[in-house]
Amino acid sequence: MEPYPKPVLRLIDLFSKLPGVGRKSATRMAFHVLNASNAYAEALAEAIRAVKNDLRLCARCFNLADAELCAICRDPKRDPRVICVVEDTKDLIAIEQTGAFRGLYHVLQGHIDPLKGMGPEKLRIDELITRLQKEPVREIILATNSDTNGTATALYLVKRFQPFGLKVTRLAQGIPVGGDIEYVDTQTLGASLKQRTEF
Ligand SMILES: [Zn+2]
């Protein structure tokens, strides 16, 4: 039998469901909350509630948003002529953190995966096509994952983009910055040779 009172046990159970959190860490977290101020515990509970209640998907790009449009779509300094297509919001955040992209995004909300019954109709692809009809887009950057499903999704999109005569680019694949050539796997090294750039 667990030695903890029920409310503590419930918190431990819930924390231990978080990714990467084992029973031991969950117990530490629960006791941290237990010993924290009421204000902190309330703020934590409220933050969790707000993530579920106050967030929605951006009506234009399907990024997470706290209003009809997300902060990126609302920013007048972003370049609407370039759209970077990603599979999910985590990918968008990773690209945003580089600070190297000033265009807009389109979040597909997944990738094509025939084995899991994920056809293109389940992704936000029609919405992207509608954007191409309405917005001044010149270039699409395909930033789907470089695995089989991500590549299949990119190939499907290229076909759908054909009528628009856009410049379509894909993220380069190659040697990591600071990487050592002898340790790079053969496929990646091959890709980096094909996608070499002028010095
Ligand atoms: Zn948006």
Side-chain angles (χ1 to χ4, degrees):
M1 213 184 112
E2 295 264 10
Y4 307 112
K6 260 197 184 138
V8 179
L9 195 56
R10 190 167 81 134
L11 200 52
I12 295 173
D13 282 342
L14 289 168
F15 278 143
S16 66
K17 290 197 170 79
L18 294 171
V21 178
R23 197 86 193 153
K24 234 179 181 174
S25 304
T27 307
R28 271 214 329 267
M29 287 176 181
F31 274 89
H32 177 78
V33 173
L34 195 64
N35 294 324
S37 66
N38 279 0
Y40 174 81
E42 289 294 339
L44 180 65
E46 171 50 28
I48 292 171
R49 213 173 291 126
V51 157
K52 296 309 286 181
N53 294 341
D54 302 347
L55 275 187
R56 52 177 132 168
L57 296 180
C58 172
R60 185 189 198 184
C61 76
F62 301 95
N63 179 22
L64 286 175
D66 55 6
E68 197 194 348
L69 293 180
C70 72
I72 294 171
C73 285
R74 290 199 306 265
D75 183 350
K77 291 197 211 83
R78 307 291 300 216
D79 183 356
R81 293 169 301 179
V82 191
I83 292 182
C84 179
V85 178
V86 293
E87 293 182 19
D88 62 41
T89 305
K90 281 184 292 201
D91 301 334
L92 179 155
I93 290 166
I95 292 172
E96 266 312 274
Q97 280 172 340
T98 67
F101 181 63
R102 296 303 300 161
L104 299 175
Y105 290 92
H106 194 84
V107 186
L108 296 173
Q109 297 294 334
H111 50 235
I112 294 173
D113 185 353
L115 293 178
K116 288 193 179 142
M118 279 293 279
E121 74 287 349
K122 295 206 171 135
L123 304 175
R124 301 293 189 167
I125 293 175
D126 287 342
E127 290 90 341
L128 175 57
I129 301 298
T130 308
R131 284 182 71 181
L132 297 182
Q133 290 159 349
K134 285 198 232 157
E135 297 179 26
V137 186
R138 301 259 181 83
E139 178 179 356
I140 297 264
I141 301 172
L142 290 172
T144 54
N145 288 337
S146 66
D147 57 10
T148 319
N149 290 332
T151 306
T153 309
L155 289 172
Y156 174 83
L157 287 173
V158 168
K159 263 192 232 150
R160 294 286 303 267
F161 296 156
Q162 256 161 13
F164 297 96
L166 295 162
K167 179 179 176 187
V168 181
T169 54
R170 180 132 168 78
L171 289 189
Q173 296 171 349
I175 301 161
V177 175
D180 207 326
I181 289 176
E182 67 176 305
Y183 299 122
V184 175
D185 67 275
T186 319
Q187 259 189 320
T188 306
L189 195 54
S192 72
L193 263 171
K194 269 193 217 145
Q195 299 177 27
R196 68 188 182 278
T197 51
E198 204 159 332
F199 208 52

